[in-house]
Amino acid sequence: MTLSCQHQKKQSKWSGLFNEISHKPLPPPAVSCVLNPFPSPCLPPCACFQLLKALTPEENSLCQHGLYFQDGQRRVDYVLTYPVKKPSAGRSSRQSTHLLTENAVARSLRHSSSLLSSPAADVELGCPGETFGGQEDHKAFRREEFEGKLRDMGLELEKDEDTKVTGVGFVKIHAPWNVLCREAELMKLKMPTKKVRLQSSGVVEKISSLVSKVLEPLRPHVEEHHTKNIKHLSHTFSREKQHLLLGSGVYTAAYPLHDLLYEEWANYSVFYKYQPIGLVRKYFGEKIGLYFAWLGLYTQMLIPASLVGVIVFLYGCATVDDNIPSMEICHPKNNITMCPLCDRVCSYWKLSTACGTARASHLFDNPATVFFSIFMALWAAMFMEHWKRRQMRLNYEWDLTGFEDEEVSSDHPRAEYEFRVMQKSLSKDQKSKMEKLTCRDRLPAYMTNIVMMLLMIGVTFAIVFGVILYRISTKAALHMSSNPITRNHVQLTVKTTAAIINLVVILILDEVYGAVARWLTVLEVPKTDKSFEERLIFKTFILKFVNAFSPIIYIAFFRGRLVGRPGSYLYVFESYRMEECAHGGCLMELCIQLSITMLGKQLIQNNLFEIGIPKLKKLIRYIRSKQGAFQEEERQKKLQRYETDHFLEPFAGLTPEYMEMIIQFGFVTLFVASFPLAPLFALLNNIIEIRLDAKKFVTELRRPVAARAKDIGIWYNLLRGVAKVAVIINAFVISFTSDFIPRMVYQYMYSPDGSMHGFVNHTLSYFNVSHFQDGKEPMDPLHLGYHVEICRYKDYREPPWSSTPYEISKEFWAVLAVRLAFVIVFQNVVMLMSDIVDWLIPDIPKDISLQIHKEKILLVDLFMKEEQGKIHILESSYRLSTGCKENCSRSDNNNSTAAHPRSGLHTNSPVDSCKCH
Amino acid sequence: MTLSCQHQKKQSKWSGLFNEISHKPLPPPAVSCVLNPFPSPCLPPCACFQLLKALTPEENSLCQHGLYFQDGQRRVDYVLTYPVKKPSAGRSSRQSTHLLTENAVARSLRHSSSLLSSPAADVELGCPGETFGGQEDHKAFRREEFEGKLRDMGLELEKDEDTKVTGVGFVKIHAPWNVLCREAELMKLKMPTKKVRLQSSGVVEKISSLVSKVLEPLRPHVEEHHTKNIKHLSHTFSREKQHLLLGSGVYTAAYPLHDLLYEEWANYSVFYKYQPIGLVRKYFGEKIGLYFAWLGLYTQMLIPASLVGVIVFLYGCATVDDNIPSMEICHPKNNITMCPLCDRVCSYWKLSTACGTARASHLFDNPATVFFSIFMALWAAMFMEHWKRRQMRLNYEWDLTGFEDEEVSSDHPRAEYEFRVMQKSLSKDQKSKMEKLTCRDRLPAYMTNIVMMLLMIGVTFAIVFGVILYRISTKAALHMSSNPITRNHVQLTVKTTAAIINLVVILILDEVYGAVARWLTVLEVPKTDKSFEERLIFKTFILKFVNAFSPIIYIAFFRGRLVGRPGSYLYVFESYRMEECAHGGCLMELCIQLSITMLGKQLIQNNLFEIGIPKLKKLIRYIRSKQGAFQEEERQKKLQRYETDHFLEPFAGLTPEYMEMIIQFGFVTLFVASFPLAPLFALLNNIIEIRLDAKKFVTELRRPVAARAKDIGIWYNLLRGVAKVAVIINAFVISFTSDFIPRMVYQYMYSPDGSMHGFVNHTLSYFNVSHFQDGKEPMDPLHLGYHVEICRYKDYREPPWSSTPYEISKEFWAVLAVRLAFVIVFQNVVMLMSDIVDWLIPDIPKDISLQIHKEKILLVDLFMKEEQGKIHILESSYRLSTGCKENCSRSDNNNSTAAHPRSGLHTNSPVDSCKCH
């Protein structure tokens, strides 16, 4: 029974309220539930009756009670809750309440007061270090003070302590029209003024109508698309212009939002349709609208990427039989004896046994892969550009073009920050008021941050290393097993268990890292909410990214490279030889690891966790409260809307949703050279993900406070960062992990006939078995049935008969140089192409910029007409009334006016000023 | 005697006018010349009397005539000129007038009309394809029509055809206060409202006051810095708020601008001082203000760069005696015989003769250079970031924060474009009005563009190749000369003449390319002025950049690399061997070429051309008009201001200035690894350049029309591009041009004792002189006094006694791999560091964002107070007057209001509305 202040971010509340302005003038009964700005999902309307199932729309009308004040006139716009003392519970039981809740109240107070009064008020209210004797009374006093402030702002309040939810008092708040107007003007909200038809030329019109006809079944069945060509001319909200601009009939298009949103959006059966983003934004605010728009665009962009990916994969399948290297490996005539893969227990083996792996490798390691990774790098650049354009379009459609980010709210110091500042100034006994935390104050926190981040990354690396050790040691152990079945399935057993261990570790660490990042950010005491969020996101991203990708990076770039050579292998802990890759290169293993991690993460973490846990929490909350106070079914039915919403999970922000998607974006772009099917998997996941998230927002969470946002903020930068890293990682995967470069080098530098024949032989070095270290030679040298003198291993080294046996050969350096040159060329070409894409695609869609231009002209036109009308009236009134010559002459625009700026043209009421003498 | 329409960009004119708003209320006599918005520099005031010399300020008061209309009251805000028919000249002589001048008028017409009326007016006016019979009359008619439009807009006009400048008629335009107000509101200009003191905390205050005391002598002596802590609270211009906001006493600080600008800015003696950017902006508008601010910041940033550059150079000087490779070369004991540098005429030579070059190379090729190029890459990133911040600060100080780019003006189609559209629709006889040029219409122009651009770049390359041929052939010819003095000075003669040829070619081609780029852009018929300018700049930049840097790139990356080897040299035209570099690598030659090009360009092109040519033109124009009509000294004295300005060079835009600087920026960043003194040279040039440009703007050009701008536009992108290219070029210079990597490789891979001893020997391959091709061996094999069997040459090749003689050796591949790896590491590390710099430095300076935040709160506060006052009045009036209950009750904010949005609160005149029944 803590003080649950739903009022987490006061400024957002205003945003929320003003989203609703446009709905105010509607006759309340028709759209009551739809436009209810009360912070709970009206969907599922059924929340009133059955908490865990969705209601049918007919029952909706029943849940209107609780939406209005007692007078049935004024709408409840926002609700605050606070704990009400039970008569039984003594004052002492409340003493342990944490200081932070105190701060939360203080913050709320400050947030609202700073909005309306001068900053001086901050200091007076923001001092939580006082005597905490009568904590209850103190709190009640604060509440009263806060409510007084709210009333001063012009808000209307109604208290309700006598609810059916015991121990919780509700303060219902109503924001009257004039308060909304004032705030809208201050926030430079735009208001609709006049309908404009978006023009397009003849041919384009025809094509677009054709396209829209084709796409018709993909559109959600909302009225939106009927009106999509009509746009209201909007102007920064100004009460002066209100009489001029607020035309009648602007609000005719009221959608029955509730069932539409549920049926046409939060529903798996409409997975193939576009999202009704406009409705989502109207209901949830711009911030959440932007998330779903982004997710939609990302999913849409994944369609071509997965198509091309599948084609590349199919190309691999089709050409696998023409691939000379794998043919050479598989051909039984090429009787190449390979050196043993482990000490003592393994023996020599025939290269032709690696035939299957070699053929499978070709699926992912063929020239089309190079093309595909270039394609995906450009795809990422295109995606970024398209998102910029889509964002711009949404900004225009949602009238956010003039809106600057909520600097006022986000620049405001957090309560924790101010508390620290106060603590500091108290402890130092300085007379001058400390105004901020210096770097020195923060040094310990920064140091902790750096150390902890490094430690966490170290832990990730240690775990990767642990899994390697597990693989090496288990393999060695199983090889020594006497059971032949065990020995035959060594590879399978080890790989499967290791991959599962990896996945489980990633899932567990993900949760741990989320908590650690939050803890570290709290420790840092960032000044503003915005900076808190950004720091948190950044830290979480770094940790989760490292967590998800370090095993993959190990396989791609390190595995099989640090093995040494026959006769002088590299040993871990002096007894375990480092892992080698199968003959086809490590690309195959990289591919397996990638698919397991990606699919596992998506299936378990995203879907299972995301649906399961909120459902579970809601159930627990519901059961607990049921046990607590009231069980009667009939009373429950009469629960007010604000009481039922009390049981839903509060909205925790979009961070987890974005984070999930950005990690997925990493899977799609970073190693796409080795796994062309990644976009397809991502696409399949996202089609479900959109509807899943929609369902969650609509049915499982309290309705989030609508927040305005122009862009997706730090996430865009992270996406850019991932796309940049992807270019270099793909360059390295192609040139180092795949055999692309060695093949090229062989073909153009060493091949006698310019074909790939002889490539396999060229990549294998010679080893004289008499050079094995003592005790490392195979126990069963005659395993293959003949005596082996020379075995082969995959490396570019001098043969035993050269003057410098087993030294790195010239071929190695040549191949390395070409590999590195390829990296440079690939990276710079792709970066250049991305820049060109970036430069060619304008950030603002042409039709939008044209439209903005036209709107400006129309607005100018409107004002000019108005002004000329006024001047006419003025002139005529001037001629008529000779008495007000003195007053009106100043309006008679001339040089004489220029000298009196104070008495300049009052064009808004020239007639009044003349009449009122 | 063409129609000189000064009125090049109509929209800018408005910007210019509204810059002047703030000066309007001043009593005219005190600041007349200072605030004269007439498009001519009031500086030098002396222009009235002596055209080529600057006046003393005392004489200034004399040149006030011409600043006002005949009534002496209304100020001349803008001037249009047109040709007046001489009685002697017949109508027929005017027939050849080019169509474009027609268009220029049409465009002006449209520009102004589109600003004020609906787009429909465009079509009506923009049709130049009519009968051109009575061209003079037609023009006169158009002028009248245009002037009528101007009058409709509320402007006041005065014609003056009877001036002393024969054949030119003047239309003087005055913009009255109310027109200015209307336009200001439409442009969302901000207006000053209330003074705010920028706050800073105790310690910071002390430090900053100390700093400002230290920097005091660097500040220009203008009053600006006394008031720098005071900022006017500004609000988007709104006539409604005018009565509230325009306080008295705002305009007390009127600076005597004219002599100050001249004395404290356009003067070489103040080169060490900051520029009075505020004054520059007030006088020339934001666009030019931004250029000078940018130039100032760039110059300032060059100071640390040149300091570090000088230190790096001094480090090279200091360590030249400790450099083992050059010691080994110079030591006479190391008796290495080198292979001849040319066929037949050259003979073997001793390595120790290259001692001087080797020592000099060390000055530019030492480990400090690597550090310096990393430093310069970060410096470039820092510069970009600092500029963003400075721009933001200027935007704030100049109240541009809300100003969106002049979309209206820049989106307007150019006359040439509309003419083409009309031509097309006429020729095709289509009924539907063509609205735009399609890609197909533009294809020929685009193809011409691409072909011409490639051709021009080809010409540049051909010239570079020509200079190479010149060098090779001259060298060969001089070597064969019988004169021993000539032979001794071969190197010097060839290098000097080639460098001079290069420089001359660059200078000539620069002019040619400027013209070609303009021609190509005209051919392209871009739609808007903005796009015209951007395309032009882009093309000019590409051509000039290639022109300036291709000889340097050849020397850095190709010279000495394509020479073949002794016994199989590479020949051009089958007779000339390709050039080799001197022993110390090509870095030394690169350095020489860089310094010659850079200094030559700066001295000749920038300074000589920039000062000389405008002076010359002015003189010619003056002399010609003198010869033409009036020579009398006394009449000249009475010339009106707008007549004298007729003789000044018109302002041609900032493109040449920016272009010059960006090419210089290229010299400073691109090859800085080979020439650490470049920043110093640039700094010295720029210190002069600032004052030179200032002088030119103040005395040599007609006063440019003040244009608003928020940023430096495309130049910023070009700068970013250069900075990006610089990273990769420096990586290649360090790893391929300098000997840094071979030294490292030798030290860590081949050196027997880990020192550099033996490096020179390691880099030299062996050649058996018996393997020379027939006819290529030296004519004088005993030149050194002994018989040579094996000579050495600089390359990594197998010795003659290996199994594969003269093939590329393993060392070559190893060094190449390390070189390429270095490029990858360097590029990515530097890019990452630049990104971190970009990320760490916030784009908006903290104090500015704080101040913006505070201003917002103060404005909100102000409005709240105003509103509360109104509500009080409203309430009291409500209580008093019972009669207007019906009318006023709607203002009584309640739910009932919400239902009547049309009649919402008219808070601005509630009292009036109650009284007026």
Side-chain angles (χ1 to χ4, degrees), chain B residues 575-749:
Chain B
S575 57
Y576 299 116
R577 239 172 82 181
M578 281 298 287
E579 306 173 283
E580 281 185 67
C581 290
H583 184 77
C586 286
L587 204 69
M588 197 60 215
E589 306 209 5
L590 176 58
C591 181
I592 292 169
Q593 178 78 42
L594 264 173
S595 47
I596 290 178
T597 315
M598 187 173 169
L599 288 179
K601 255 183 88 79
Q602 282 186 350
L603 286 181
I604 298 175
Q605 195 175 31
N606 304 356
N607 300 354
L608 214 70
F609 284 16
E610 263 189 44
I611 323 174
I613 290 184
K615 282 241 187 234
L616 211 70
K617 279 193 185 168
K618 196 165 82 173
L619 196 67
I620 290 169
R621 198 183 298 243
Y622 178 65
I623 290 169
R624 192 182 290 159
S625 84
K626 215 173 181 176
Q627 290 170 339
F630 59 102
Q631 287 93 340
E632 317 93 304
E633 283 275 314
E634 65 276 14
R635 271 191 80 187
Q636 191 188 330
K637 268 187 188 158
K638 281 173 200 155
L639 272 180
Q640 299 277 334
R641 165 63 51 77
Y642 52 84
E643 291 163 338
T644 60
D645 283 331
H646 196 66
F647 296 110
L648 292 175
E649 182 81 350
F651 171 66
L654 286 165
T655 307
E657 320 292 334
Y658 273 119
M659 191 64 76
E660 177 190 324
M661 280 300 126
I662 211 163
I663 299 277
Q664 194 204 61
F665 185 74
F667 277 106
V668 169
T669 53
L670 284 181
F671 289 92
V672 83
S674 61
F675 188 38
L677 294 181
L680 182 68
F681 287 157
L683 176 65
L684 294 179
N685 177 71
N686 285 8
I687 286 173
I688 302 168
E689 178 77 21
I690 292 180
R691 308 302 159 176
L692 198 85
D693 280 354
K695 248 198 161 94
K696 190 171 80 179
F697 275 87
V698 161
T699 64
E700 306 289 336
L701 300 180
R702 286 187 195 151
R703 181 171 171 183
V705 167
R708 299 194 87 186
K710 252 192 125 158
D711 49 40
I712 57 173
I714 193 177
W715 297 109
Y716 185 77
N717 300 329
L718 291 180
L719 276 178
R720 276 192 87 91
V722 170
K724 268 189 190 173
V725 172
V727 174
I728 183 88
I729 285 199
N730 274 310
F732 273 100
V733 166
I734 293 172
S735 68
F736 283 92
T737 313
S738 87
D739 268 347
F740 178 71
I741 302 294
R743 281 200 301 263
M744 290 286 122
V745 171
Y746 176 76
Q747 194 164 6
Y748 294 109
M749 276 173 74

Side-chain angles (χ1 to χ4, degrees), chain A residues 21-121:
Chain A
I21 288 186
S22 47
H23 311 309
K24 274 277 170 181
L26 277 166
V31 286
S32 61
C33 220
V34 181
L35 304 168
N36 164 29
F38 187 74
S40 98
C42 207
L43 304 175
C46 19
C48 309
F49 299 88
Q50 289 156 284
L51 216 63
L52 298 167
K53 263 169 59 192
L55 257 195
T56 52
E58 306 87 71
E59 295 169 277
N60 189 35
S61 55
L62 292 170
C63 65
Q64 276 189 30
H65 54 262
L67 296 183
Y68 292 90
F69 275 16
Q70 303 288 357
D71 59 6
Q73 286 278 337
R74 287 171 292 168
R75 183 195 301 284
V76 177
D77 289 318
Y78 204 74
V79 168
L80 301 175
T81 68
Y82 57 92
V84 177
K85 240 183 307 174
K86 280 181 193 168
S88 58
R91 189 167 284 181
S92 56
S93 69
R94 306 282 311 135
Q95 293 292 348
S96 63
T97 310
H98 198 273
L99 194 67
L100 272 185
T101 41
E102 278 289 316
N103 273 325
V105 178
R107 176 155 45 125
S108 318
L109 275 164
R110 246 167 321 99
H111 263 299
S112 63
S113 61
S114 72
L115 197 74
L116 294 160
S117 53
S118 68

Side-chain angles (χ1 to χ4, degrees), chain A residues 73 239 827-828 867 893, chain B residues 178 239 827-828 867 895:
Chain A
Q73 286 278 337
R239 271 167 292 182
Q827 187 187 2
N828 286 292
E867 180 158 310
N893 52 63
Chain B
N178 68 329
R239 271 165 294 182
Q827 186 186 2
N828 285 293
E867 181 157 306
N895 260 5

Side-chain angles (χ1 to χ4, degrees), chain B residues 833-871:
Chain B
M833 283 164 83
S834 300
D835 280 353
I836 290 175
V837 165
D838 193 351
W839 179 71
L840 279 184
I841 301 180
D843 284 359
I844 304 175
K846 209 167 184 182
D847 56 331
I848 296 290
S849 68
L850 264 179
Q851 195 57 26
I852 289 175
H853 172 53
K854 271 184 195 160
E855 282 188 13
K856 262 188 190 166
I857 291 178
L858 282 176
L859 267 182
V860 166
D861 195 30
L862 213 65
F863 290 150
M864 287 297 291
K865 271 184 193 156
E866 189 207 359
E867 181 157 306
Q868 283 190 341
K870 272 179 186 168
I871 289 172

Side-chain angles (χ1 to χ4, degrees), chain A residues 700-743:
Chain A
E700 306 290 337
L701 299 181
R702 284 185 196 155
R703 180 170 173 185
V705 167
R708 301 194 86 187
K710 251 192 124 157
D711 50 40
I712 57 173
I714 193 175
W715 298 109
Y716 184 77
N717 300 329
L718 292 180
L719 276 178
R720 275 193 88 91
V722 170
K724 268 188 191 174
V725 172
V727 174
I728 183 88
I729 285 198
N730 275 310
F732 273 101
V733 166
I734 292 172
S735 67
F736 283 93
T737 314
S738 88
D739 267 348
F740 178 72
I741 301 294
R743 281 200 301 265

Side-chain angles (χ1 to χ4, degrees), chain A residues 77-240:
Chain A
D77 289 318
Y78 204 74
V79 168
L80 301 175
T81 68
Y82 57 92
V84 177
K85 240 183 307 174
K86 280 181 193 168
S88 58
R91 189 167 284 181
S92 56
S93 69
R94 306 282 311 135
Q95 293 292 348
S96 63
T97 310
H98 198 273
L99 194 67
L100 272 185
T101 41
E102 278 289 316
N103 273 325
V105 178
R107 176 155 45 125
S108 318
L109 275 164
R110 246 167 321 99
H111 263 299
S112 63
S113 61
S114 72
L115 197 74
L116 294 160
S117 53
S118 68
D122 292 17
V123 185
E124 174 204 335
L125 293 164
C127 46
E130 302 294 313
T131 54
F132 290 107
Q135 228 176 19
E136 274 302 315
D137 291 345
H138 188 71
K139 280 184 186 171
F141 169 72
R142 290 225 173 156
R143 270 200 297 278
E144 266 165 41
E145 196 176 348
F146 179 60
E147 285 157 15
K149 289 265 171 199
L150 291 181
R151 285 202 184 87
D152 282 353
M153 281 158 64
L155 298 173
E156 288 159 23
L157 274 60
E158 190 178 71
K159 278 203 176 187
D160 188 1
E161 293 198 0
D162 187 25
T163 58
K164 285 132 216 146
V165 185
T166 339
V168 181
F170 292 88
V171 179
K172 290 173 279 184
I173 302 177
H174 168 72
W177 177 244
N178 69 330
V179 172
L180 293 179
C181 286
R182 182 189 62 209
E183 295 296 326
E185 193 170 85
L186 291 179
M187 288 179 72
K188 294 188 182 167
L189 221 64
K190 298 215 168 175
M191 60 181 172
T193 57
K194 203 180 151 182
K195 286 183 188 181
V196 200
R197 210 174 156 76
L198 301 183
Q199 285 176 346
S200 46
S201 63
V203 188
V204 179
E205 181 103 43
K206 268 176 207 161
I207 293 174
S208 75
S209 78
L210 190 75
V211 169
S212 71
K213 222 174 235 169
V214 172
L215 293 181
E216 187 60 45
L218 301 186
R219 281 184 208 291
H221 292 294
V222 292
E223 286 171 56
E224 207 175 21
H225 68 277
H226 294 306
T227 54
K228 84 182 161 67
N229 265 355
I230 291 168
K231 171 89 176 47
H232 299 291
L233 249 190
S234 59
H235 183 263
T236 308
F237 196 94
S238 153
R239 271 167 292 182
E240 309 309 334

